[in-house]
Amino acid sequence: MPARPAGALPAQPGVSRPTGSRPIASRPTDSQPGGSPPAHSRPVAFRPVPSRPVGFPPVGALLRRHRHAGEPLSCVPVAEGLLNRGFRLSTTRGTYFLKQHLDAPTADRATITRQHRATQRLHALGLPVAPPLPDATGRTVAVIDGHCYALHPWIDGRHRDGTQLSTGCSRRLGTLLGQVHTALERVMEPSGPDGAPGTADDGVCASADLLDTFRAIDELIRLARAHRPRDSFDALAEHRLRERRRLLAQHAHHRPPPARAAGWVHGDFHPLNLLYRGAEPAAIVDWDRLGVRPRAEEAVRAAAIFFVRPEGELALEKVRAYARAYRRATGADRAELAAAAHRVWWERLNDFWTLRWRYQLHDRRADPQFPVVSALAVWWTREYEAVRDAFTG
């Protein structure tokens, strides 16, 4: 059974869309992929047509606002987004990333504009980001037919997960995230308990409640058993759900207390939102989840995505190098990282978003992520002290 983390409060779990690569254990996101568009994507040639295809962006109207961008040549959907839509837009003057914001919680003009201002300020400080391009009036968000669009420079690069990062690159990754957190503290308005984005109204981030989790498990087991035609995924889902219920019952007394939101964070920092050129980061993308949350938790959550192996274990030596660099860049102490690791472990034990998508939303796009996500929660519980030590050593 996990011991209480040292320094923790007394205890009371590029592609920004599936692309066929190794599953990334993260929640859904949307961003620009690196490199060339997928071979199966067919460029859309611009020619006079009565109306644009359903779901296709109003490129003509957008480029009339961005006079510097030239005339349209082709527009290629970069991938099938889980939350938003993105396109590789080629014009007579270059290549751009066109983003259509659809995710309701973050798709309003004011929220997007705040994200854009943040990336502009971070870029001015020298961080690798890709701020949007302003139109002729200086605006970065275009609202057309009730939808919000933004035009960004196209960044050539590729995604790299933890298996492709050396220990030195892992160290630089921790430093980069630490620099993002400290820079956000400089460029954003002070965080506080006043309903800032991504926080509860009182500024408190409560941990998952077991009664809610047990009800969710019972419902998901019922749906998995009833699913037809039943396949090996359904059998694995039922097995993991029953296993998780037993683990939660054993560790119920380790539920962490509410955490205070500590500062501004990217909100979705993982391999599909970071583009590399060679060994160096070229751009951090997809700032839709920018908000005020416990900063060290973002560092732990990112490590659990970057450094997870296909069998659901963490590469702890890389985690250790990453965490040391993050602590050095931010001034966070070992106790803060230990408490964050405990809270993210609990978050993972109580989280079943991939199964909710499959069985409640009837959307299977997250299915490839389930095996590694579910295996990690079990492994982390068994190796709790080793994981904690990697974040604090």
Side-chain angles (χ1 to χ4, degrees):
M1 181 175 297
R4 182 183 302 164
L9 295 174
Q12 308 269 307
V15 183
S16 57
R17 307 155 184 80
T19 60
S21 58
R22 185 175 70 82
I24 299 294
S26 69
R27 286 181 173 274
T29 177
D30 297 271
S31 63
Q32 179 205 300
S36 302
H40 61 271
S41 297
R42 301 180 64 183
V44 179
F46 286 94
R47 58 179 64 90
V49 291
S51 63
R52 68 179 186 272
V54 175
F56 195 73
V59 172
L62 283 163
L63 290 182
R64 281 193 291 274
R65 303 183 184 204
H66 290 271
R67 297 169 189 162
H68 63 278
E71 297 299 319
L73 298 175
S74 66
C75 188
V76 180
V78 294
E80 185 178 6
L82 292 178
L83 297 178
N84 302 302
R85 292 196 187 112
F87 303 84
R88 178 179 173 127
L89 174 61
S90 296
T91 76
T92 53
R93 294 191 181 174
T95 303
Y96 304 91
F97 176 68
L98 174 59
K99 183 168 183 176
Q100 180 182 6
H101 293 262
L102 296 173
D103 187 31
T106 61
D108 62 282
R109 176 176 235 157
T111 299
I112 300 167
T113 299
R114 184 184 61 245
Q115 298 160 7
H116 289 176
R117 287 201 196 103
T119 57
Q120 290 166 338
R121 293 166 181 167
L122 293 174
H123 185 263
L125 293 177
L127 286 169
V129 294
L133 301 171
D135 64 16
T137 66
R139 293 175 178 170
T140 58
V141 182
V143 181
I144 301 175
D145 296 335
H147 293 295
C148 291
Y149 299 87
L151 193 65
H152 297 259
W154 182 266
I155 305 297
D156 284 317
R158 62 189 293 263
H159 303 294
R160 304 179 73 195
D161 61 33
T163 63
Q164 299 167 308
L165 298 179
S166 66
T167 301
C169 288
S170 302
R171 190 177 300 114
R172 289 196 290 275
L173 180 66
T175 298
L176 175 62
L177 182 57
Q179 291 171 338
V180 168
H181 287 171
T182 56
L184 284 171
E185 188 174 14
R186 292 174 57 188
V187 304
M188 301 299 291
E189 61 267 25
S191 59
D194 55 358
T199 69
D201 289 343
D202 58 1
V204 172
C205 298
S207 58
D209 180 83
L210 275 182
L211 292 180
D212 292 338
T213 300
F214 286 149
R215 282 193 289 267
I217 288 175
D218 289 342
E219 174 63 10
L220 288 169
I221 288 175
R222 183 187 69 79
L223 293 173
R225 290 179 63 84
H227 188 260
R228 294 294 181 274
R230 185 173 173 83
D231 57 23
S232 59
F233 186 103
D234 301 313
L236 176 62
E238 184 179 353
H239 166 74
R240 288 301 194 191
L241 286 164
R242 294 185 186 280
E243 177 182 54
R244 195 74 60 83
R245 187 164 56 189
R246 290 192 298 271
L247 285 175
L248 285 165
Q250 292 170 12
H251 299 294
H253 58 295
H254 289 295
R255 180 189 178 189
R260 304 299 301 187
W264 287 92
V265 298
H266 175 276
D268 205 16
F269 191 80
H270 60 70
L272 299 185
N273 285 335
L274 179 59
L275 289 165
Y276 279 86
R277 286 198 194 101
E280 296 302 320
I284 305 166
V285 297
D286 189 7
W287 291 80
D288 297 283
R289 302 301 177 88
L290 175 71
V292 179
R293 300 180 187 86
R295 296 194 311 182
E297 288 184 28
E298 172 156 271
V300 173
R301 201 171 287 114
I305 302 169
F306 270 96
F307 302 115
V308 67
R309 293 169 172 152
E311 62 273 17
E313 301 177 359
L314 294 178
L316 293 183
E317 285 308 309
K318 293 181 180 181
V319 171
R320 189 182 307 275
Y322 159 92
R324 283 177 178 171
Y326 174 81
R327 297 201 313 268
R328 191 177 304 116
T330 59
D333 60 23
R334 289 178 171 84
E336 184 177 354
L337 267 292
H342 184 69
R343 288 182 57 80
V344 176
W345 163 75
W346 183 260
E347 172 186 281
R348 288 302 186 106
L349 276 183
N350 286 268
D351 189 24
F352 307 99
W353 76 270
T354 54
L355 295 184
R356 291 181 186 276
W357 275 50
R358 176 183 173 92
Y359 294 118
Q360 295 176 332
L361 301 181
H362 307 292
D363 188 333
R364 296 192 176 193
R365 288 176 295 168
D367 283 5
Q369 301 193 39
F370 174 69
V372 65
V373 170
S374 58
L376 175 60
V378 177
W379 179 87
W380 193 337
T381 302
R382 186 173 65 248
E383 301 295 335
Y384 180 90
E385 288 81 7
V387 176
R388 179 197 58 202
D389 291 348
F391 282 107
T392 61

